[in-house]
Amino acid sequence: MANARARTQSGAAKAAGSQPSRRTFQPGALWFDNHGVHINAHGGGVLYHDGIYFWFGEHKIAGTAGNRAQIGVHVYSSSDLYNWRDEGIALAVSDDTKSEIVRGCILERPKVIFNPRTKKFVMWFHLEPFGHGYASARSGVAVADKPTGPYTFLRSFRPNAGVWPQNISTKLRKPLTRKELARLEQLDLPGGAVPYYPKDLLFRRDFAGGQMARDMTLFVDDDGHAYHIYASEENGALHISRLSRDFLSPTGKFVRIFPGRFHEAPALMKWHGKYFLFSSDCTGCEPNAARLSVAENIFGPWEELGNPCIGPGDQAANTFNSQSTFILPVQGKRDAFIFMADSWRPENAIDGRYVWLPIEFHRGVPVIAWHDHWDLNFFNKESK
Ligand code: GAL
């Protein structure tokens, strides 16, 4: 079993003093940290700060209990992207049953950005407080003075309460009528595509209390504005929401995109002035076909381009058995971006694998092909 293997390797590595240095990426394989333990940073993202990469992700334990947060957010550091040093738990879950991040809550897809004005490291994540399944759909925010933490949990909320999305017509800028609410309450909305999905009701229902926010990412634009991109409206639409100058809250300037299309696992990059958004369909931990969308303005209009994965048979149709989590810009190289994705193992969550693949550009559009192994020289070859 993978865990037994991880332990064996760990013993060998300790005897040798450290792990042998890696020089390649092996998508989907076990990936050992400096202690010889499989990296535990699922649904993660990477921050580059002062010459070091920091990889943050969900720490998962063995078995199905690992699908809930038992430990917190794990962080690793690296200067070469192949070899990662365990920096411990950046944000720990709490043992206080009154805490919103009590052990056993659902805390997913953490992302960290640095705020140059406050000099704080700011973490956002999807939070489902204990005991309500995925119904709460909240955003959590934590801060730290150092990239590796410890992070202090500030609060959780549903974003953009009391403001309308910028890109909706005047006729939709009104809370639900009693009749519409009654109609909505009749519907069984499972968080995935259903033909009766009511495209224009949920964001109006949630106007006062704030918008649902599940799978998410953060993105800092060249002009210093930061954005929170999250699956909202029972996963039926994505929202792109600008953050305040301190990155701790939404400004209220936001748009909803692709209502009724059910995108999740958003990951954003900018290339030659265009924004490219990678995402997935909503099929839980089961892989599906990735989606790529493009816009010239982050607030849209956005256009769906289809599946960016190329290759034979099922491989491309199921995103190489994975689901997007982040697009990592490689420092010091032109046109160099890594597609980071998770291959979930919900029956033994700790054994989830990381699929990192290089993004290629075909006629101005990012595409992703499978590589059993590859290294950063790929980008020298492919740079145009
Ligand atoms: C996926 C989602 C993950 C996690 C998982 C739980 O759809 O992208 O972040 O929530 O479901 O089953």
Side-chain angles (χ1 to χ4, degrees):
M1 277 301 297
N3 290 336
R5 223 175 107 202
R7 271 197 297 278
T8 314
Q9 290 265 346
S10 172
K14 271 185 197 128
S18 70
Q19 273 295 104
S21 173
R22 288 171 60 119
R23 287 276 160 261
T24 58
F25 299 106
Q26 281 176 261
L30 286 168
W31 192 344
F32 301 108
D33 68 10
N34 59 313
H35 300 306
V37 177
H38 179 48
I39 291 172
N40 203 333
H42 309 266
V46 172
L47 165 75
Y48 181 75
H49 188 76
D50 279 352
I52 311 271
Y53 296 94
F54 296 92
W55 177 358
F56 298 84
E58 304 158 28
H59 179 107
K60 294 196 178 282
I61 66 164
T64 54
N67 297 314
R68 291 182 302 283
Q70 313 290 354
I71 304 289
V73 176
H74 209 130
V75 56
Y76 296 82
S77 66
S78 175
S79 52
D80 63 8
L81 293 172
Y82 307 112
N83 298 285
W84 292 89
R85 181 189 149 94
D86 181 6
E87 299 282 0
I89 301 304
L91 173 69
V93 294
S94 171
D95 282 318
D96 176 356
T97 52
K98 291 202 268 324
S99 166
E100 288 180 275
I101 57 165
V102 65
R103 198 181 304 279
C105 68
I106 294 172
L107 195 167
E108 293 180 340
R109 296 185 178 270
K111 305 288 178 298
V112 173
I113 52 181
F114 174 67
N115 188 297
R117 296 182 193 92
T118 62
K119 308 272 185 263
K120 298 277 186 200
F121 296 85
V122 181
M123 179 188 290
W124 284 62
F125 48 90
H126 166 204
L127 179 67
E128 300 288 348
F130 190 83
H132 302 282
Y134 279 87
S136 302
R138 297 173 77 80
S139 301
V141 181
V143 287
D145 296 322
K146 289 192 302 172
T148 51
Y151 285 75
T152 305
F153 174 66
L154 296 182
R155 62 191 182 116
S156 89
F157 54 92
R158 278 190 169 189
N160 293 310
V163 277
W164 294 112
Q166 303 238 314
N167 60 342
I168 56 158
S169 64
T170 325
K171 96 176 184 312
L172 290 176
R173 288 173 192 247
K174 46 180 183 288
L176 294 189
T177 61
R178 210 172 286 170
K179 212 166 133 200
E180 284 170 322
L181 190 59
R183 189 182 133 216
L184 188 52
E185 280 165 358
Q186 295 299 307
L187 298 176
D188 176 23
L189 297 173
V194 281
Y196 52 82
Y197 178 74
K199 270 195 210 166
D200 290 327
L201 297 188
L202 289 156
F203 74 92
R204 292 170 50 215
R205 178 197 67 187
D206 294 335
F207 174 75
Q211 299 295 326
M212 300 179 82
R214 292 198 183 115
D215 278 10
M216 56 141 281
T217 194
L218 298 178
F219 177 78
V220 183
D221 209 341
D222 312 326
D223 61 5
H225 283 305
Y227 296 86
H228 175 212
I229 298 128
Y230 55 90
S232 193
E233 306 179 36
E234 287 293 359
N235 296 339
L238 287 171
H239 289 184
I240 301 180
S241 165
R242 185 180 280 174
L243 298 185
S244 54
R245 281 166 67 84
D246 59 10
F247 297 172
L248 298 180
S249 36
T251 52
K253 183 167 182 185
F254 78 110
V255 291
R256 61 192 292 259
I257 64 170
F258 306 133
R261 286 286 298 140
F262 288 83
H263 289 249
E264 63 177 7
L268 189 62
M269 61 174 271
K270 191 177 187 181
W271 182 70
H272 293 195
K274 286 189 180 164
Y275 299 87
F276 291 98
L277 177 66
F278 294 78
S279 57
S280 73
D281 194 354
C282 291
T283 56
C285 293
E286 291 300 317
N288 54 55
R291 298 167 173 192
L292 175 68
S293 308
V294 66
E296 291 189 6
N297 182 318
I298 195 162
F299 284 131
W302 282 89
E303 183 195 349
E304 283 197 57
L305 299 176
N307 184 352
C309 299
I310 51 174
D314 283 355
Q315 277 207 329
N318 71 13
T319 316
F320 313 108
N321 195 27
S322 70
Q323 186 186 29
S324 46
T325 184
F326 196 72
I327 305 298
L328 164 50
V330 179
Q331 301 300 313
K333 287 183 183 272
R334 274 183 50 210
D335 306 335
F337 298 87
I338 299 175
F339 174 79
M340 287 173 57
D342 294 281
S343 189
W344 305 107
R345 305 254 168 124
E347 67 296 339
N348 185 23
I350 194 174
D351 194 29
R353 306 300 174 85
Y354 311 103
V355 172
W356 286 27
L357 289 166
I359 290 178
E360 304 171 52
F361 294 93
H362 288 188
R363 298 192 186 89
V365 174
V367 297
I368 308 160
W370 177 256
H371 299 265
D372 287 335
H373 32 82
W374 63 282
D375 63 45
L376 295 172
N377 290 321
F378 180 90
F379 296 116
N380 303 344
K381 288 199 290 252
E382 295 300 309
S383 250
K384 289 169 192 90

